[in-house]
Amino acid sequence: MNQPFTRHRRLRQSAAIRRMVRETTLQADDLIYPLFVTEEKNKKTEVPSMPGVYQFSLDRLNEEVGEVEKLGIPAIILFGIPSEKDACGSQAYAAEGIVQRAIRQVKHAFPNMVVIADTCLCEFTDHGHCGLVKEGDVLNDESLALLTKTAVSQAEAGADIIAPSNMMDGFVYAIRNGLDEAGFTDIPIMSYAVKYASAFYGPFRDAANSAPAFGDRKTYQMDAANREEALREAHSDVEQGADFLIVKPALSYLDIVREVKNETGMPLVAYNVSGEYAMVKAAAQNGWIDEKAMVMETLISMKRAGADLILTYHAKDVANWLKGS
């Protein structure tokens, strides 16, 4: 007897059939793993608000990168924690800065690992803001010169990709010009094009020691209520020379991920941020959720929304799960 409806369940009858018709997949090649590097000695210090995430001293860094490489994760992004900070974040662009030394070390030991350098000043300034500050205001144009200087120093150290996260107006334009003038025309820019002023960043500030000493970052990071502004930001960065676009955070902004992908067609990175990670870890430690199932569903949702790559603290766990470990 003919039925007045379609039997969609026919394609859900077994795990094998479900795999055959699956529209979205997740693999280790989609992952970027964040690493925090300090200037201490023989340190692997767990971040209290991010179980399973550590700050590594340079002499312990290679063991972690080696594990990442064995898992098939193709890329890391480096965040530096300097021993000294000042008003202009000079250690961000110092030739022997912590990030520059880490880049050289990783590229020497693991030449096939893609090393992405986070390009910002907040981890290096004594006030914790992402640019120069004068009388309580974060200066835009004056900060661009130091951000460009930072990007060039990271490229000189061997970074494969520059990832500016500062949200100053014109930062992609300034950094692209600076890289080109320094001879780094082939170094791509992975722009934090759409970065919201989010409550989900709290644990990261523990990990990177980068909480602002006064005020907040709402004058340069985006208002969580805004959608069209995100598209304007993304288009600006494409016009200025960005090669990848990042949407940060990811989970509460999947609508933005999809719209930016549809609007630009650019390689898109979803940043599964520290607060998203910490919530899952806390719930898992309390036995409230199936951690593996929730993480995999969350990351698949980011891919389904349009992300080509996912920057996530879950990367090692996910790579192990994909291997069946």
Side-chain angles (χ1 to χ4, degrees), residues 194 196 226-227 230-231 234 245-272 276 298-310:
V194 180
Y196 286 90
N226 291 356
R227 173 187 138 270
L231 301 180
L245 304 177
I246 298 176
V247 174
K248 179 184 181 184
L251 192 56
S252 292
Y253 299 86
L254 294 180
D255 59 322
I256 305 301
V257 172
R258 170 47 60 194
E259 290 210 57
V260 170
K261 184 64 176 180
N262 286 350
E263 282 272 333
T264 69
M266 295 290 289
L268 189 61
V269 184
Y271 196 147
N272 178 212
E276 297 166 356
T298 297
L299 299 196
I300 280 288
S301 77
M302 296 171 193
K303 287 290 300 292
R304 189 185 66 242
D308 300 288
L309 300 167
I310 302 173

Side-chain angles (χ1 to χ4, degrees), residues 4-309:
F5 52 82
T6 302
R7 295 194 179 275
H8 299 286
R9 291 179 56 190
R10 288 174 182 152
L11 300 183
R12 304 172 191 157
Q13 294 307 300
S14 70
I17 292 175
R18 290 192 295 273
R19 286 196 304 272
M20 289 171 64
V21 297
R22 188 161 291 152
E23 299 171 30
T24 307
T25 59
L26 180 68
Q27 55 190 357
D29 281 344
D30 301 329
L31 306 175
I32 300 168
Y33 189 52
L35 285 170
F36 299 93
V37 190
T38 77
E39 299 198 69
E40 299 176 276
K41 299 291 185 183
N42 192 30
K43 289 289 185 179
K44 179 182 177 181
T45 306
E46 190 169 33
V47 179
S49 55
M50 299 178 71
V53 173
Y54 297 85
Q55 297 172 339
F56 292 92
S57 55
L58 282 173
D59 54 3
R60 300 288 301 273
L61 181 60
N62 282 9
E63 61 190 69
E64 182 73 355
V65 179
E67 185 178 343
V68 171
E69 185 172 73
K70 287 179 182 177
L71 287 168
I73 298 167
I76 60 171
I77 184 167
L78 292 173
F79 298 93
I81 305 165
S83 57
E84 296 180 2
K85 301 186 180 189
D86 57 31
C88 60
S90 60
Q91 286 300 302
Y93 47 84
E96 293 301 316
I98 183 62
V99 170
Q100 287 78 2
R101 284 184 283 151
I103 292 168
R104 288 195 293 268
Q105 178 176 307
V106 171
K107 290 306 296 184
H108 176 75
F110 307 95
N112 294 324
M113 177 64 64
V114 175
V115 176
I116 305 167
D118 180 80
T119 305
C120 197
L121 300 181
C122 62
E123 297 143 51
F124 304 91
T125 54
D126 53 15
H127 47 72
H129 281 284
C130 302
L132 293 171
V133 171
K134 183 178 181 180
E135 297 177 356
D137 291 329
V138 179
L139 305 177
N140 192 92
D141 295 7
E142 295 86 343
S143 299
L144 294 179
L146 295 186
L147 293 163
T148 300
K149 193 173 180 180
T150 300
V152 170
S153 75
Q154 293 168 338
E156 288 173 342
D160 297 293
I161 298 172
I162 299 299
S165 59
N166 53 86
M167 287 298 283
M168 298 296 113
D169 290 337
F171 70 92
V172 173
Y173 176 81
I175 289 172
R176 182 71 273 159
N177 283 343
L179 290 171
D180 290 353
E181 288 173 4
F184 296 108
T185 56
D186 292 332
I187 298 292
I189 293 175
M190 181 181 284
S191 170
Y192 286 68
V194 180
K195 183 178 180 180
Y196 286 90
S198 172
F200 287 95
Y201 300 155
F204 175 90
R205 290 168 186 168
D206 291 341
N209 299 345
S210 64
F214 66 89
D216 54 38
R217 296 175 178 151
K218 292 182 179 179
T219 63
Y220 47 102
Q221 294 178 1
M222 285 181 50
D223 188 326
N226 291 356
R227 173 187 138 270
E228 292 182 357
E229 183 185 6
L231 301 180
R232 294 196 297 272
E233 285 276 8
H235 281 302
S236 289
D237 285 10
V238 173
E239 291 164 3
Q240 292 171 28
D243 302 283
F244 303 80
L245 304 177
I246 298 176
V247 174
K248 179 184 181 184
L251 192 56
S252 292
Y253 299 86
L254 294 180
D255 59 322
I256 305 301
V257 172
R258 170 47 60 194
E259 290 210 57
V260 170
K261 184 64 176 180
N262 286 350
E263 282 272 333
T264 69
M266 295 290 289
L268 189 61
V269 184
Y271 196 147
N272 178 212
V273 299
S274 59
E276 297 166 356
Y277 174 89
M279 290 191 303
V280 171
K281 283 292 184 181
Q285 288 182 342
N286 279 285
W288 297 336
I289 61 167
D290 179 331
E291 180 179 358
K292 175 182 176 181
M294 180 167 283
V295 170
M296 296 300 280
E297 182 177 344
T298 297
L299 299 196
I300 280 288
S301 77
M302 296 171 193
K303 287 290 300 292
R304 189 185 66 242
D308 300 288
L309 300 167

